Amino acid sequence: MFKRLIKCVLAMSVLMIFGGTNVVYAKEIIRIGHNQSSNHPTHIGMEAFKEYIEGELGDKYEVQIFPSELLGTQTNMVQLTQTGAIEMTVASNSIMETFNPDFQIFNLPYLFESPEIYHAVMNDDAIVGPIFTGTRDSGFIVVAWLDAGTRNFYLTDHFVDQPEDLRGMKVRVQQSPTNVRMMELLGGSATPMGFGEVYTAMQAGVIDGAENNELALTENGHGDVAKYYSYTLHQMIPDEVIASVKFLDKLSEEEREIFEKGFLILQKTQQESWQEKVKEAKDHAENAMKVEFSYPDIAPFREAVLPLHQEVLDKNPSLRQVYEQIEQKAEAVEKEQNND
Ligand code: GCU
């Protein structure tokens, strides 16, 4: 099914080149795949990117956006970007660690104490730059990061107010070893699967719940099935926009500059829309879908998963420096907040 879709996308591009009886001048198509709905901040950011790029370089480029896993799961789409079969995609930092272990650092639970620290770290090129461009030899680099809020647990029949509430529960996690290990430490049973499968798995009772931000309740309908959402705030995992090196290297210097501006517009638009959409999602989940929210003490969760920090640093000593940079950044942000 997935291979057929890709062939279809490629065939569509060829048709655009040799459309009708005459050979027509072809625009270069920039194909971008993501796994969110077309109402999601990520899609809204992509549309702003499309508008900007086509406004500046519309004679030469056409941007086509494929939402809702139309081009496959995030892992499939990263692979397509690596080979240059598509130009760009959005992937959660969780699955990026399967392409390069350095990304594990941003998947650590309770790494960031507040959204302010999270944003300050992700916006600091000295911290994220080497990781974002460190995949060049694998055929792609990260060109922007997107907000995906905080991840929290939601189950079909009870709240997760203490780690014990996860005991014996089959909980969907993203396909990443760090997330599987996190669930183990919390005492639940980790069930890794792609995002698109979660709704059906929950409905069929294959899993007892999942963990994600509030938009999963509304945009993906998870709140239809899971009515107990607990703010465990265990992770702030960014999404990353990645671009194929084959595509980037073909751009002229002037074009590259325009694209870099486009990436910033995409990032800014997505992050601004995020704030608003999360509020809307929570409100809708609570009032229309009748999802209930709980606000547990996060200390026992934190304590249970903290050994994972050390485990990851021991296995990846080169990440120690990044970890320290994050600690320093956190201190600086807190100091600044206290002075205000
Ligand atoms: C969030 C995130 C996605 C990710 C999804 C998941 O929605 O933004 O990038 O794929 O969670 O849990 O798989």
Side-chain angles (χ1 to χ4, degrees):
M1 153 87 172
F2 170 62
K3 283 206 179 121
R4 244 186 298 138
L5 264 171
I6 298 309
K7 275 191 196 146
C8 196
V9 170
L10 296 179
M12 267 157 47
S13 313
V14 172
L15 271 179
M16 294 192 64
I17 300 172
F18 301 107
T21 46
N22 301 323
V23 175
V24 288
Y25 175 71
K27 285 191 188 180
E28 288 185 33
I29 309 292
I30 296 167
R31 283 153 295 211
I32 312 177
H34 68 81
N35 70 354
Q36 307 289 359
S37 75
S38 45
N39 183 44
H40 191 278
T42 292
H43 194 80
I44 294 168
M46 285 300 173
E47 279 178 334
F49 174 77
K50 175 180 166 72
E51 197 186 317
Y52 175 72
I53 295 298
E54 290 181 353
E56 295 290 315
L57 298 168
D59 290 345
K60 183 163 173 195
Y61 294 102
E62 180 182 331
V63 177
Q64 293 180 357
I65 311 166
F66 299 88
S68 311
E69 291 195 0
L70 276 172
L71 300 186
T73 63
Q74 287 187 338
T75 303
N76 297 144
M77 290 189 283
V78 174
Q79 288 161 346
L80 290 172
T81 312
Q82 270 185 305
T83 62
I86 64 174
E87 284 65 29
M88 286 164 60
T89 192
V90 181
S92 167
N93 186 81
S94 282
I95 69 120
M96 294 296 282
E97 73 173 40
T98 60
F99 291 90
N100 185 325
D102 287 354
F103 285 88
Q104 282 172 90
I105 194 83
F106 306 123
N107 294 334
L108 291 177
Y110 299 107
L111 177 68
F112 305 117
E113 298 248 338
S114 69
E116 290 75 19
I117 295 174
Y118 163 53
H119 276 248
V121 168
M122 298 312 297
N123 285 330
D124 187 338
D125 203 47
I127 304 178
V128 300
I131 299 179
F132 282 2
T133 53
T135 49
R136 222 193 127 76
D137 290 347
S138 312
F140 65 87
I141 58 166
V142 174
V143 293
W145 75 275
L146 309 179
D147 203 345
T150 47
R151 298 186 75 95
N152 304 291
F153 288 104
Y154 48 96
L155 299 184
T156 50
D157 79 351
H158 61 264
F159 284 123
V160 179
D161 284 340
Q162 48 204 352
E164 288 70 36
D165 295 332
L166 286 167
R167 204 161 287 153
M169 295 290 111
K170 287 200 211 71
V171 182
R172 179 268 175 169
V173 292
Q174 290 175 281
Q175 291 135 310
S176 107
T178 307
N179 288 333
V180 171
R181 182 74 184 123
M182 175 186 76
M183 274 309 297
E184 267 171 27
L185 289 167
L186 287 170
S189 167
T191 311
M193 62 175 74
F195 195 33
E197 295 170 72
V198 182
Y199 182 92
T200 322
M202 227 158 33
Q203 204 180 33
V206 175
I207 51 174
D208 301 296
E211 47 81 60
N212 215 319
N213 58 58
E214 299 86 336
L215 286 171
L217 297 174
T218 53
E219 290 306 311
N220 306 86
H222 297 182
D224 286 342
V225 199
K227 301 289 182 194
Y228 301 91
Y229 189 96
S230 306
Y231 278 101
T232 46
L233 308 173
H234 54 272
Q235 281 163 318
M236 294 179 208
I237 298 188
D239 281 338
E240 279 135 16
V241 181
I242 67 163
S244 159
V245 169
K246 264 193 196 154
F247 152 66
L248 291 175
D249 283 356
K250 269 199 322 214
L251 300 172
S252 68
E253 223 170 278
E254 295 75 36
E255 287 173 346
R256 180 65 187 257
E257 254 176 55
I258 294 172
F259 273 91
E260 289 299 334
K261 185 140 185 246
F263 299 145
L264 282 178
I265 290 173
L266 155 58
Q267 178 171 310
K268 192 163 174 278
T269 310
Q270 192 272 353
Q271 294 184 6
E272 279 167 9
S273 158
W274 182 265
Q275 304 298 334
E276 194 190 314
K277 291 279 181 184
V278 161
K279 276 195 207 107
E280 271 174 35
K282 189 172 178 205
D283 190 53
H284 184 77
E286 196 161 21
N287 298 313
M289 301 174 104
K290 305 291 173 210
V291 175
E292 290 179 49
F293 293 87
S294 78
Y295 301 85
D297 171 15
I298 61 171
F301 293 92
R302 205 166 178 278
E303 199 185 318
V305 296
L306 230 47
L308 188 47
H309 289 207
Q310 206 49 50
E311 280 177 27
V312 166
L313 295 178
D314 286 348
K315 275 196 212 132
N316 305 272
S318 64
L319 288 178
R320 251 174 224 291
Q321 196 199 340
V322 188
Y323 192 76
E324 279 161 21
Q325 283 176 300
I326 295 173
E327 282 178 330
Q328 284 158 11
K329 191 82 194 177
E331 272 170 37
V333 172
E334 273 162 3
K335 206 163 152 193
E336 207 178 287
Q337 281 171 338
N338 291 339
N339 287 343
D340 281 348

